[in-house]
Amino acid sequence: MSSPNHDSQSAYTAPPNGHSQWREDEMPEPSIADSTDLQIRSNSPEVENGRLPLPVWMRESSKSFHWKWVPLPLRNLTRSVIAWTKGPDPPQQQKITPFFPTVQEAPLKLVDRFLPKKRHKTALLVLFYISWVLTFSLILQSSASSGKIEGYGTPQALWCGASYWSGGNRCGINGNNCRPFNNASLAFQCPANCASMKVFNPYAVGDQEVVYKPLVIGGPEDDGNGLPATKPIYRADSFICQAAVHAGVVSNDRGGCGVVSLEGKQHSFPSTYRNGIKSIGFGSDFPKSFTFLSGIPSECGKVDQRWPLLAVTIIFTTLLSIFTSSPAVFFSSAFTMLFFHVGLVSDPPNTSDYPSLTSLIIGRYLPAAFVGYVIYRFCVRPQLTGFTAQFEKTILWLGGAWVGSLNNYTFDFIPIQRLTPHDLQAQPGARLALVIIVVTIFLIALGQIWYLRLEGRLPRYLALYALMGIGLIICVIIPSLNLRIHHYILALLLLPGTRVQTRPSLLYQGILVGLFINGVARWGFDSILQTSAALLGGGQMNTLLPNMTAPVVAASNITFQWALPPSPYDGVSVLVNDVERHRWYEGEGEPLFTWDRPGREEDEYFRFAYMMGSSAADYTKAGVWEVSGNWRRMKPGPSR
């Protein structure tokens, strides 16, 4: 008697490897509902590979034995996510297909036609470098050495934040460390764009606090029609170049020269708006002030050459980008040109002369070049290898690099000067701007994640960024130190994700390389971990403040008393109208101070701070002895 499954078994063959499989021409017919024969066909890829699939319960036991406590749906979801991150098989390498390839590849063909041999191309490249160095250095030398003001000599180059006075008690008792107060003059040269200089830490001017604003105190009286009625007089702690822009002595767009003259003690500095800068008013006396001599031409033979030099470097880097196909030649040359342009021209560090500036930039370039090689090896070379869209490279990558390098101009509108908790809380609009930046970076990251997945690189990059995140968390929890993300650190964190060859990645990578160049050339390799004092850069330290008792007010004087300072402090510093007028130390008489009002009727401002040796801690906010004789108590909180 034949078995009901005899026909189906006759179509079965056992291959030599012992795995069961059907021959393609002998696959069983589908099951028929009325038939006693039941045929099972599996669509599992394991069957296609010659293996019968394991039941679900056996697969779970063999692969997830140690994770059996995790619910099955969650395990399945995890497997799906892991499989998705691995990307398609085979990976899809991203390559840019140039628009108008004939046009974009024409410069390379032109070079190959007229310079077919490698030595010819090398000679032309060397000549190109020499031409840029000579042009750049000659224009820079002309800017540094030319120009004299008759009777005053060669102008001294000032940076935008230069002033005659240091805040707090750094000028000493009665300002003696900042003499002379009058009968002195200085020929000076200011760079362009000084109007954008701002005070980053709260700076006390009487009972006012100046922060995220220009520091110009005083100016000419206004005649009511927007014209000056008196000569411009500025308090000595004003930024000289900003005051020169405010007074109309130099141009903010081009910079310029002038002569500043010390005027000694002055009373009452008005607040006026002139040439895009609103000055700060101060209604009391100050021992040192300055004005600007009239009749001095602002050009004076010296012109800020940043715009001609910008044009020179843009032309040379553009020609290099268009006519060079080698990623190594292009990146190393553009990196070097941009670095020296930023460091010497567009955003130089604060130095008084070009020899010192050149020495500083060369010292910063050498370690930056090593980091640049790492950026090239792991980010730039994979992206630009085999890339022949010369004009797209120039517009997207090189254009982005210029945008990042000139971020003191291109990103100046963003109200975040320093990425610190203090600035984010205190600077108007900073938190909203940070949210917008984070959301933008997140959306960009989603696009980059998709491309990395298509290339099968996503798991490795997720592991890399996980390590970076762990490193940042460790930095955050280290006691007594604060995490600070500088320009160059932000660029280094984001650059690995720009490896793929897509048009968005070209733009992102160029901008990030530019940010790295600007951060290192301008500020150097500042530490990612800083103490509170270094992080605030002379700002308020939230130290203990003196507990002042109510003063004794007489007709023409006022007397203050205080308790003995706690350890580790050993003294008290007293500022009157922002000038240190008294220091008291333990064992040197009674803890009190009396101030006699001068003949003029004006408000006077008093601030107090504990001292350790000659260094003052935070001062109190200003208490005001009003013209009426009333005492207005200081508000809570510190000042500097």
Side-chain angles (χ1 to χ4, degrees):
M1 184 175 181
S2 64
S3 169
N5 295 331
H6 175 76
D7 293 338
S8 61
Q9 288 178 356
S10 64
Y12 177 81
T13 59
N17 59 13
H19 294 293
S20 300
Q21 72 176 32
W22 297 97
R23 290 201 304 268
E24 187 175 43
D25 58 341
E26 297 177 341
M27 292 296 290
E29 294 295 329
S31 301
I32 301 173
D34 297 334
S35 173
T36 58
D37 294 342
L38 180 63
Q39 311 294 343
I40 299 176
R41 179 180 295 179
S42 174
N43 291 326
S44 171
E46 294 182 342
V47 174
E48 296 177 2
N49 295 330
R51 298 187 302 272
L52 290 175
L54 290 173
V56 173
W57 66 271
M58 292 184 65
R59 280 183 287 166
E60 290 297 326
S61 298
S62 62
K63 294 183 179 180
S64 306
F65 178 77
H66 297 291
W67 301 98
K68 60 183 180 180
W69 54 273
V70 179
L72 180 60
L74 182 58
R75 278 181 280 174
N76 290 337
L77 177 62
T78 303
R79 290 194 193 94
S80 299
V81 171
I82 293 175
W84 182 87
T85 59
K86 292 179 180 179
D89 188 16
Q92 301 173 9
Q93 295 299 317
Q94 302 300 300
K95 292 293 181 182
I96 293 177
T97 302
F99 297 121
F100 308 107
T102 303
V103 175
Q104 297 208 60
E105 295 172 6
L108 301 180
K109 294 178 180 178
L110 186 66
V111 171
D112 290 335
R113 178 180 176 184
F114 291 98
L115 300 170
K117 296 184 179 180
K118 184 176 181 180
R119 66 173 181 270
H120 297 157
K121 297 176 182 176
T122 303
L124 180 62
L125 186 62
V126 171
L127 180 62
F128 175 86
Y129 291 152
I130 293 173
S131 300
W132 175 75
V133 170
L134 287 176
T135 306
F136 188 87
S137 58
L138 288 175
I139 296 177
L140 195 63
Q141 178 65 20
S142 173
S143 173
S145 61
S146 65
K148 284 189 176 181
I149 299 177
E150 186 176 352
Y152 298 95
T154 302
Q156 178 178 336
L158 302 180
W159 72 287
C160 292
S163 70
Y164 276 115
W165 192 273
S166 299
N169 71 335
R170 284 171 288 179
C171 281
I173 296 290
N174 299 322
N176 289 331
N177 296 341
C178 294
R179 288 183 178 272
F181 290 166
N182 52 19
N183 297 325
S185 59
L186 172 71
F188 65 91
Q189 179 194 12
C190 291
N193 201 39
C194 279
S196 64
M197 183 76 180
K198 294 180 177 63
V199 179
F200 293 153
N201 293 312
Y203 184 85
V205 179
D207 60 348
Q208 307 171 72
E209 273 197 342
V210 181
V211 64
Y212 307 119
K213 296 179 181 178
L215 185 58
V216 178
I217 306 169
E221 295 280 0
D222 200 322
D223 66 352
N225 297 317
L227 298 175
T230 60
K231 71 176 182 179
I233 301 291
Y234 298 92
R235 219 173 80 162
D237 50 350
S238 301
F239 293 156
I240 297 172
C241 287
Q242 281 191 335
V245 174
H246 182 267
V249 173
V250 302
S251 165
N252 183 59
D253 294 332
R254 302 186 62 188
C257 300
V259 176
V260 60
S261 175
L262 296 180
E263 293 290 302
K265 185 176 181 178
Q266 295 291 327
H267 301 273
S268 185
F269 299 83
S271 172
T272 59
Y273 181 84
R274 294 177 57 81
N275 300 311
I277 297 176
K278 182 175 177 56
S279 67
I280 303 154
F282 181 67
S284 194
D285 64 88
F286 201 80
K288 186 174 183 177
S289 63
F290 63 84
T291 188
F292 300 101
L293 300 186
S294 59
I296 305 294
S298 64
E299 298 296 337
C300 63
K302 296 189 75 166
V303 180
D304 191 300
Q305 298 288 356
R306 68 181 63 199
W307 303 119
L309 284 168
L310 176 63
V312 166
T313 310
I314 285 179
I315 290 172
F316 273 86
T317 53
T318 300
L319 291 174
L320 179 79
S321 176
I322 292 174
F323 290 97
T324 303
S325 61
S326 168
V329 172
F330 167 69
F331 177 77
S332 60
S333 304
F335 183 92
T336 301
M337 292 179 179
L338 287 170
F339 193 94
F340 280 94
H341 181 87
V342 171
L344 297 176
V345 181
S346 66
D347 198 10
N350 304 325
T351 56
S352 59
D353 58 86
Y354 275 106
S356 300
L357 177 61
T358 304
S359 174
L360 178 62
I361 294 304
I362 291 175
R364 290 179 177 177
Y365 172 75
L366 294 177
F370 172 78
V371 180
Y373 171 76
V374 177
I375 293 173
Y376 166 77
R377 172 66 179 80
F378 294 100
C379 302
V380 177
R381 188 174 72 176
Q383 187 187 79
L384 296 184
T385 299
F387 190 71
T388 58
Q390 300 299 97
F391 292 101
E392 291 184 63
K393 177 180 69 175
T394 303
I395 294 172
L396 296 175
W397 199 102
L398 183 62
W402 272 111
V403 169
S405 296
L406 300 176
N407 77 83
N408 54 317
Y409 295 95
T410 54
F411 298 140
D412 186 57
F413 66 95
I414 299 176
I416 299 178
Q417 304 299 328
R418 300 174 301 185
L419 198 58
T420 64
H422 170 269
D423 283 34
L424 293 176
Q425 293 177 6
Q427 189 166 5
R431 282 177 285 188
L432 175 60
L434 181 63
V435 170
I436 294 174
I437 291 172
V438 170
V439 171
T440 302
I441 292 176
F442 176 74
L443 295 177
I444 291 173
L446 290 180
Q448 297 304 105
I449 287 172
W450 176 256
Y451 291 123
L452 289 170
R453 173 187 173 273
L454 292 179
E455 290 197 347
R457 305 180 189 275
L458 184 56
R460 284 176 289 173
Y461 277 80
L462 290 177
L464 174 63
Y465 278 100
L467 290 176
M468 290 182 181
I470 293 172
L472 292 177
I473 292 173
I474 292 174
C475 291
V476 168
I477 63 178
I478 293 178
S480 303
L481 291 173
N482 301 278
L483 174 67
R484 182 173 179 183
I485 304 296
H486 301 279
H487 288 71
Y488 79 93
I489 294 175
L490 180 64
L492 293 177
L493 289 174
L494 299 179
L495 270 169
T498 64
R499 173 192 174 104
V500 293
Q501 192 185 101
T502 63
R503 289 182 177 87
S505 291
L506 277 176
L507 178 61
Y508 304 151
Q509 189 175 98
I511 292 174
L512 292 173
V513 169
L515 284 175
F516 172 81
I517 290 172
N518 180 274
V520 177
R522 176 64 176 88
W523 305 104
F525 284 97
D526 274 2
S527 175
I528 191 173
L529 292 175
Q530 295 183 328
T531 62
S532 297
L535 186 68
L536 294 175
Q540 300 167 359
M541 299 294 297
N542 295 316
T543 57
L544 191 65
L545 300 175
N547 185 15
M548 305 300 300
T549 59
V552 177
V553 181
S556 61
N557 61 53
I558 186 169
T559 301
F560 300 90
Q561 285 187 310
W562 53 84
L564 295 178
S567 179
Y569 304 109
D570 56 5
V572 171
S573 169
V574 182
L575 301 184
V576 181
N577 297 334
D578 303 328
V579 179
E580 189 174 39
R581 297 298 187 180
H582 182 68
R583 289 185 186 181
W584 173 88
Y585 290 97
E586 287 190 64
E588 297 183 359
E590 294 296 321
L592 58 82
F593 167 70
T594 299
W595 175 255
D596 294 318
R597 169 164 272 169
R600 293 182 61 89
E601 294 295 322
E602 55 194 17
D603 291 346
E604 297 193 279
Y605 306 91
F606 298 82
R607 295 189 286 143
F608 305 85
Y610 286 130
M611 297 189 67
M612 288 189 294
S614 60
S615 299
D618 286 343
Y619 284 88
T620 62
K621 293 191 183 298
V624 184
W625 187 18
E626 297 175 343
V627 174
S628 63
N630 294 327
W631 169 251
R632 192 195 318 157
R633 290 178 56 87
M634 59 276 291
K635 296 178 181 178
S639 67
R640 294 292 283 184

